[in-house]
């Protein structure tokens, strides 16, 4: 098979590599020439794809900025970003751009699959009309399907192959094509009746997490006031063998998905006179968390007769989650901005994020940031973080991830 992947990011690159490893010829198209150059050098920029895998597939994966190279593929998968505008409305710019370019080279018999997360109706109402600008008819001359990506960056227990893949087709024949296609790299395919069902499935998964994280974050704020240990409560509840799923509180939601995707659904629901109250409320609670974290830091310093202004604050971990260097919507960045505005002197340590250009900061060693600090704040705890060294090395430690549990120390404050 010849496979095209449009958008070689966290979603597109692992998929492109998986097909190349399966012996298929893959052409990846990305508008970012730096990514194309990196792949040409055989190096990876996505943590979940080791550089040696890129080198190992060699010529079977070719990256380019030219859409024209997609004219010869059997299947084209679109995995471009679906962000929000400044007004927090869906920004389909990259997706519509990709559709327009693809239409120019579309051929009879090709299958086009959208993987970008989006609201129900996008594939049929927005992508198909663009592709049909080619003069070809969807469902007759070419096939169209939607299949959400369930990748969880940094996770190793479930892979593309072992995570069931949900697929919806524009027509039953489109569905059959897409099921056969994904069968090459996924063990289990879950067929749904339409592209809309597949689109909404992904949003349900993300809204479910957003709502549950918001619930436990709200309880964390309440626990703070009531003097109850939220971590103990969550762990105790998680001993129930049925009917409960453990979600951890934290400094707020980050990444490309959870802070963004639910708003795609909320936006579309308005067209149907339907306010999605759960979605909006969860977003509100989660967005409040970085502000609550700053309040907690301020109180901790106050206990030590210090103010944020003038204090040397060491931030440990700035990416949005453990094990990845992704800064998108990271609550750590929000917390740092707020502390900076209050006059805090910031330094940070994150082995996966060498620079924060927006804040004009560079990562220092753990010892480096702890030396002379007034306070260390654990915002993201990457695997292998020496938590004891932080507690021993800083006069005051605030932990928003619960990783200091089990350590008894008078200089320790936990969410
Ligand atoms: N990252 C995740 O964990 C994850 C998980 C599931 C679903 N998704 C969804 O998958 C989609 C892609 O996310 P991602 O994290 O891979 O994003 P990303 O930013 O890592 O990668 C997207 C790539 O698309 C490229 N691009 C942008 N516009 C383009 C265009 N018009 N033509 C060609 N390339 C273009 C960008 O340069 C970038 O390399 C989004 O809809 C996202 O919501 C992401």
């Amino acid at each position: 098979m010849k496979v095209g992947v449009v958008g070689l990011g966290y979603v597109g690159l692992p998929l492109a590599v998986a097909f190349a490893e399966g012996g298929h010829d893959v052409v990846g198209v990305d508008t970012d020439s730096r990514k194309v150059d990196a792949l040409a050098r055989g190096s990876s920029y996505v943590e979940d794809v080791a550089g040696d895998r890129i080198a190992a597939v060699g010529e079977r994966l070719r990256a380019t900025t030219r859409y024209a190279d997609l004219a010869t593929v059997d299947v084209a998968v679109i995995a471009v970003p679906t962000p929000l505008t400044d007004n927090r409305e869906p920004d389909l710019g990259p997706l519509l751009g990709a559709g327009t370019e693809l239409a120019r080279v579309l051929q009879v018999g090709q299958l086009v699959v959208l993987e970008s997360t989006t609201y129900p109706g996008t594939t049929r109402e927005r992508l198909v009309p663009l592709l049909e600008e080619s003069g070809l008819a969807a469902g007759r001359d070419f096939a169209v399907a939607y299949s959400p990506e369930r990748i969880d960056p940094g996770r190793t227990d479930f892979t593309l192959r072992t995570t069931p893949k949900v697929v919806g087709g524009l027509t039953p024949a489109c569905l059959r094509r897409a099921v056969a296609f994904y069968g090459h790299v996924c063990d289990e395919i879950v067929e749904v009746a339409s592209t809309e069902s597949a689109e909404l499935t992904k949003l349900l998964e993300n809204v479910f997490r957003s709502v549950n994280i918001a619930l436990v974050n709200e309880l964390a704020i309440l626990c703070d006031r009531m003097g109850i240990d939220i971590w103990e409560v969550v762990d105790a509840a998680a001993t129930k063998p049925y009917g409960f799923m453990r979600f951890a509180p934290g400094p707020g939601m980050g990444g490309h998905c959870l802070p963004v995707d639910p708003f795609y659904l909320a936006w579309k629901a308005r067209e149907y006179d339907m306010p999605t109250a759960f979605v909006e409320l969860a977003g509100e609670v989660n967005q409040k968390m970085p502000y609550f974290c700053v309040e907690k830091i301020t109180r901790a310093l106050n206990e030590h007769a210090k103010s944020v202004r003038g204090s040397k604050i060491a931030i440990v971990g700035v990416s949005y989650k453990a094990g990845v260097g992704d800064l998108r919507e990271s609550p750590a960045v929000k917390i740092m901005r707020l502390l900076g505005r209050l006059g805090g002197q910031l330094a940070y340590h994150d082995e996966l994020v060498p620079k924060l250009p927006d804040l004009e900061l560079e990562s220092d060693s753990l010892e480096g940031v702890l030396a002379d600090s007034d306070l260390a704040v654990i915002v993201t705890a990457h695997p292998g973080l020496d938590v004891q060294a932080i507690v021993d090395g800083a006069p005051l430690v605030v932990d928003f991830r619960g990783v200091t549990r089990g350590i008894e120390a008078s200089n320790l404050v936990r969410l």
Side-chain angles (χ1 to χ4, degrees):
M1 232 179 356
K2 276 195 88 173
V3 179
V5 177
V6 181
L8 295 169
Y10 284 90
V11 169
L13 185 61
L15 188 75
V17 172
F19 274 100
E21 287 173 343
H24 305 282
D25 275 333
V26 181
V27 49
V29 177
D30 202 293
T31 42
D32 185 346
S33 56
R34 286 167 308 177
K35 289 189 176 161
V36 170
D37 293 344
L39 293 174
R41 287 194 309 272
S43 65
S44 173
Y45 43 83
V46 170
E47 291 91 359
D48 291 343
V49 180
D52 51 5
R53 287 177 68 194
I54 307 276
V57 295
E59 294 289 295
R60 280 205 305 282
L61 170 61
R62 198 168 53 77
T64 172
T65 54
R66 285 163 36 93
Y67 271 81
D69 296 13
L70 295 174
T72 53
V73 301
D74 300 297
V75 183
V77 180
I78 303 176
V80 296
T82 40
L84 294 173
T85 64
D86 289 344
N87 302 329
R88 302 198 79 72
E89 293 189 344
D91 175 4
L92 291 185
L95 175 50
L96 301 182
T100 305
E101 292 291 335
L102 193 54
R104 296 201 175 110
V105 297
L106 197 68
Q107 305 294 320
V108 173
Q110 287 182 326
L111 164 67
V112 178
V113 189
L114 179 60
E115 285 215 4
S116 302
T117 307
T118 184
Y119 59 79
T122 310
T123 307
R124 193 182 304 270
E125 296 161 12
R126 306 301 304 271
L127 181 61
V128 164
L130 279 179
L131 296 175
E132 289 187 329
E133 292 282 313
S134 61
L136 304 177
R140 187 190 70 197
D141 301 323
F142 66 98
V144 178
Y146 179 86
S147 178
E149 178 47 63
R150 287 170 153 174
I151 208 161
D152 179 13
R155 182 178 280 277
T156 49
D157 49 353
F158 287 99
T159 61
L160 180 64
R161 177 159 288 287
T162 59
T163 307
K165 191 93 172 104
V166 174
V167 181
L170 199 65
T171 66
C174 294
L175 175 62
R176 282 196 296 278
R177 278 281 306 272
V179 168
F181 169 66
Y182 283 111
H184 289 282
V185 288
C186 302
D187 290 340
E188 186 184 342
I189 312 288
V190 181
E191 298 179 28
V192 294
S194 63
T195 50
E196 287 79 3
S197 277
E199 289 161 333
L200 187 54
T201 300
K202 173 70 186 177
L203 291 181
L204 170 60
E205 291 167 11
N206 282 356
V207 168
F208 173 82
R209 287 183 47 219
S210 167
V211 166
N212 280 287
I213 291 169
L215 174 66
V216 80
N217 277 340
E218 190 172 67
L219 283 186
I221 297 175
L222 179 64
C223 281
D224 179 70
R225 291 204 191 165
M226 295 179 77
I228 299 172
D229 181 347
I230 181 67
W231 301 96
E232 186 180 61
V233 173
V234 166
D235 284 346
T239 60
K240 186 176 177 184
Y242 50 86
F244 185 84
M245 189 178 276
R246 188 184 188 280
F247 282 84
M253 259 179 357
H256 180 288
C257 297
L258 293 194
V260 173
D261 302 347
F263 293 101
Y264 268 68
L265 185 59
W267 179 85
K268 186 66 176 175
R270 274 182 239 140
E271 202 178 302
Y272 294 82
D273 283 344
M274 170 84 199
T276 44
F278 270 103
V279 173
E280 305 273 2
L281 182 61
E284 219 174 276
V285 173
N286 289 325
Q287 269 169 20
K288 249 193 287 185
M289 282 315 282
Y291 293 88
F292 173 72
C293 292
V294 170
E295 183 201 317
K296 188 127 182 141
I297 290 166
T298 309
R299 273 192 274 133
L301 282 168
N302 191 51
E303 285 295 306
H304 284 232
K306 286 183 177 165
S307 61
V308 172
R309 180 167 302 281
S311 286
K312 289 188 179 154
I313 304 175
I315 304 289
V316 179
V318 297
S319 65
Y320 85 89
K321 67 180 258 190
V324 300
D326 194 343
L327 277 174
R328 289 178 291 183
E329 308 273 336
S330 174
V333 176
K334 183 95 189 190
I335 291 169
M336 290 171 85
R337 277 192 208 288
L338 294 170
L339 290 172
R341 264 185 237 154
L342 291 173
Q345 293 176 26
L346 298 166
Y348 83 94
H349 166 72
D350 190 320
E351 60 209 21
L352 299 177
V353 183
K355 278 186 191 152
L356 285 178
D358 289 357
L359 294 170
E360 293 178 7
L361 290 173
E362 285 187 16
S363 176
D364 196 353
S365 66
L366 189 57
E367 306 77 63
V369 287
L370 294 180
D372 292 337
S373 68
D374 295 297
L375 162 76
V377 185
I378 302 172
V379 185
T380 298
H382 292 307
L385 180 69
D386 191 345
V387 177
Q388 188 67 53
I390 300 170
V391 178
D392 294 343
L396 178 60
V397 177
V398 180
D399 167 17
F400 291 124
R401 294 290 182 181
V403 288
T404 57
R405 276 174 300 160
I407 299 177
E408 285 296 328
S410 57
N411 63 336
L412 193 52
V413 176
R414 250 191 313 270
L415 178 67

